[in-house]
Amino acid sequence: MEKIEGSVENVVFASADGRFAVFRLRLPGRRGLVPVTVGGAPPLVGQEVEVAGEWVRHPRFGEQFKASSMRVAAPTNLAGIERFLASGAISGIGEAMAHRLVQKFGRETLDVIEKQPARLTEVAGIGRKTAEKIHASYMEKEEMREIMLWLETHGVAGAYAARIFEQYSSFSIEVMEKHPYRLAREVQGIGFLTADAIARSAGIAEDSEERIAAGIDHALYQIAQQGHCCIPAEALQERAAKLLGVATEEVRHVLREQLRFERLAVEEFGGETLVYPPWLYRAEKRTAEVLEHLQRKADVMPVAEAAALVSDWEESSGIALAPEQREAVAAVLDHAVFVLTGGPGTGKTTVVRGMIAVLESRGLRVLLGAPTGRAAKRLAEATGRKAETVHRLLGAQGGMTADGTPIFDKDADEPLEADAVILDEVSMMDIVLMQHFLEAVPEGARVILVGDVDQLPAVGPGSVLKDILRSGAVPSVCLREVFRQSGESTIVLNAHAINRGRLPRFSPGGDFEFFELADEEEAARRIVELCQKDLPQEGFRVLEDVQVLSPMHRTPCGVDHLNRLLQEALNPPAPDKAEFRNSTMVLRRGDKVMQTKNDYAKGVFNGDIGFIVDVAAEGVKVRFSEELTADYEPNELMTLSLAYAMSVHKSQGSEYPAIVLPLVNAHHIMLQRNLLYTAVTRARRKVVVIGAKTALAAAVANDRTRRRYTLLAERLGGADGESPLVRQI
């Protein structure tokens, strides 16, 4: 194994998940720059690094150094110090300020920042508060170096240091030494295997009860990530044993102890023992209990009176409802809990407006909500009423319980101030959010759940909408008649065709087009051309009106690669366009970005779309709406991603004038009917599908959506007699 050392000149590429990076290293006495690949996050520009590995020859990119480990030190020469400070690593320092600092303090610059921060005010443009900010930011980096060194001395890649420090600050090393398995649950990007490696290096034995219990917890976390609420004990034991590399009997023993001390929850069903994480057991059980309680306690009206109110609204609004729509509007007065479902073009919005009108005619206070900000905005636009995210309705402040579930201001003790609550896009709600919402509904109030059961299920655990319908315990109406005519919307007709397992019909130059390009690279280039030329020529504002969706993140037609291509095509670099570079991406003024994590302090939430309006050394400014502009410091930029392209899952709850969807054979894992249906139903005026006919046919044909492990339908006292459990997981 060979070692080389030098200063980092620039970062060529860094994966969004922090698992792979390419940077160029300037070696002493060697002309030119050496490309280095490393498994992990890249170092900062200007840092001095020592990497160990081997020289390899890439068939396309030539000779490069493949690093298996990396050590980072502070830069020592003046050029390196200036590059390091100008890289954005230290809050409050940009290129101009970095130059002035090095001009003033020379090689002592970093020592001054660390040990004599008051002297920073000797430099023009730095006041006392800025000096304190620079010192604090630099000391964070110093602490990260200590964490990195600890990790590397224990045989673990130091690239995780920044994430660990962000989570635990000064307690990072203590957590790694005493509670290493917490990292898998609490630090983004660190999986169980990495936490396990840290634990083993800290002296925890392979067959220790602590390690096996952590493996069981992780296996349960994995099934929750896959959308399940529980798993048969035998399957759990096999999963954990395989993960840990120990005998199944050892796992069985520890699992029995976990169940005996009630650290995990258990339910007997269908001759199987089903194991739950406690928080999901509680969520599922409480959801069923509260639904049943609300049904019993709400006041209802006589059917005849409800029908009369509906007729009055039809007359006053000039809207003639279809029979099933009329039934649905009347049902909100007849029932305490009610579900309205239906596909695009079936008039769900019209029904919701009627529901609001008849409820308010009885003097009831009505609240409107949806799982995401974009879905809430759509609901508000469609009804002309205020609508908020479920998190806002519940008064979420960002706090979390010990088991990772959110803390809300509204609950059974402090309920919502409403007589009726209408929630849209309920297919997106997982079991935990539904539990918290229902517990905050005041006794006697009505709950109306609206959604399209054929859409993709929630990203989180559970199949709430589907299970409620499957139980038969909650009254519901499914709207089936399509009211938009074929001449008005091929999109709607094709969406319903896809849902019935039929191939969509395409119309060249119309509102539903297909371009056959089997080669992925060629398909990606065609997507760029469409966004850059074709769709603008049709009158679409490409940044505001057009959304590229993809089933996957990686591959040439995946979200990550398309975002890079589209950024360069639609918002290329320019001398007058400020940029901010970090280890994972380039952000420049004018970029379309997405918030990927709820930030209650800023008032922005997962899935919100905005545009960068300003870039400075201190960070970036993003305008999300006319009313909301948010500032991001460099250490907060991990919560932003480019949004020229996004996953189909991320698009749920939104509508766009036009969508562009690649479907290629490399997406085979994700080629499912409900994914295609969800993507198509995001578009109002135009759908363009690019890819292979075989991929399109596979998506339409594949309706084998995996049933999730959940007992909500059974807890509600019904279900169709079919077991909710699949045999393979």
Side-chain angles (χ1 to χ4, degrees), residues 122-167:
E122 299 172 19
V123 177
I126 297 181
R128 182 178 59 82
K129 288 186 176 179
T130 302
E132 291 172 355
K133 183 178 182 181
I134 291 171
H135 171 70
S137 179
Y138 182 78
M139 293 310 294
E140 284 187 4
K141 297 295 184 295
E142 287 295 289
E143 287 192 79
M144 277 194 284
R145 285 178 60 198
E146 291 182 20
I147 298 168
M148 190 176 294
L149 181 62
W150 189 96
L151 288 167
E152 290 177 345
T153 57
H154 287 75
V156 183
Y160 300 107
R163 297 174 190 177
I164 294 171
F165 179 79
E166 184 182 0
Q167 182 69 28

Side-chain angles (χ1 to χ4, degrees), residues 13 67 152 176 280 290 315-316 338 353 364 432 445 509 511 538 574 577 625 679 700:
F13 171 75
E152 290 177 345
M176 289 189 292
L280 286 178
V290 179
E315 185 175 345
S316 64
F338 178 74
R353 290 203 300 265
L364 303 184
V432 176
D511 64 0
E538 294 184 32
K577 198 177 291 181
S625 67
V700 172

Side-chain angles (χ1 to χ4, degrees), residues 310 313-314 317 319-333 338-343 345-360 366 368 379 382-383 422 424 448-451 476-481 483:
V310 176
W313 177 74
E314 286 183 281
S317 65
I319 296 173
L321 297 174
E324 61 185 9
Q325 293 177 314
R326 192 175 298 113
E327 178 189 354
V329 176
V332 299
L333 297 170
F338 178 74
V339 178
L340 173 69
T341 68
T346 57
K348 290 198 302 292
T349 299
T350 300
V351 172
V352 169
R353 290 203 300 265
M355 288 174 171
I356 296 169
V358 298
L359 288 167
E360 290 183 341
V366 182
L368 303 181
L379 181 61
T383 60
I422 300 175
D424 197 12
I448 299 99
L449 306 176
V450 184
S476 65
V477 168
C478 179
L479 304 177
R480 292 182 173 83
E481 184 178 353
F483 294 97

